Amino acid sequence: MNFESKIGIGEICGYNEEARRGNRRMEDVLVKVVAVTFDSMGVHYTCEHIGGGFGVQRFTCYEPQLHGDPDFDQESGKYPE
């Protein structure tokens, strides 16, 4: 079996759950991917959002909710130096 994800652990991504206020779409929030989970439903990402005065917040989301960073090197799992 071969498991692959489009977004890697440690990658900084934009997250948007398509929340709307009135007729205005909310902007992306920056999150860091801390875990990738594969199951029968697909790929899930555990992300960490730091800020907003609430401390560290972790939550699970799906791939369509994340906008990956093209500068992140998937092979090494790091940002280029």
Side-chain angles (χ1 to χ4, degrees), residues 10-39:
E11 187 168 350
I12 305 297
C13 298
Y15 167 75
N16 196 316
E17 60 181 326
E18 295 298 320
R20 297 180 186 274
R21 293 206 176 150
N23 61 355
R24 203 175 86 211
R25 183 175 182 261
M26 293 181 68
E27 293 185 20
D28 286 355
V29 174
L30 290 179
V31 297
K32 181 178 182 178
V33 176
V34 295
V36 180
T37 306
F38 300 92
D39 65 16

Side-chain angles (χ1 to χ4, degrees), residues 6 23 43 51-52 55 75 78-79:
K6 292 182 181 176
N23 61 355
V43 182
E75 293 298 317
K78 299 187 234 177
Y79 281 94

Side-chain angles (χ1 to χ4, degrees), residues 3 36 54 56 62 64 67-68 71 76-77 79-80:
F3 296 101
V36 180
F54 300 109
V56 175
Y62 299 96
H67 309 285
D71 292 335
S76 69
Y79 281 94

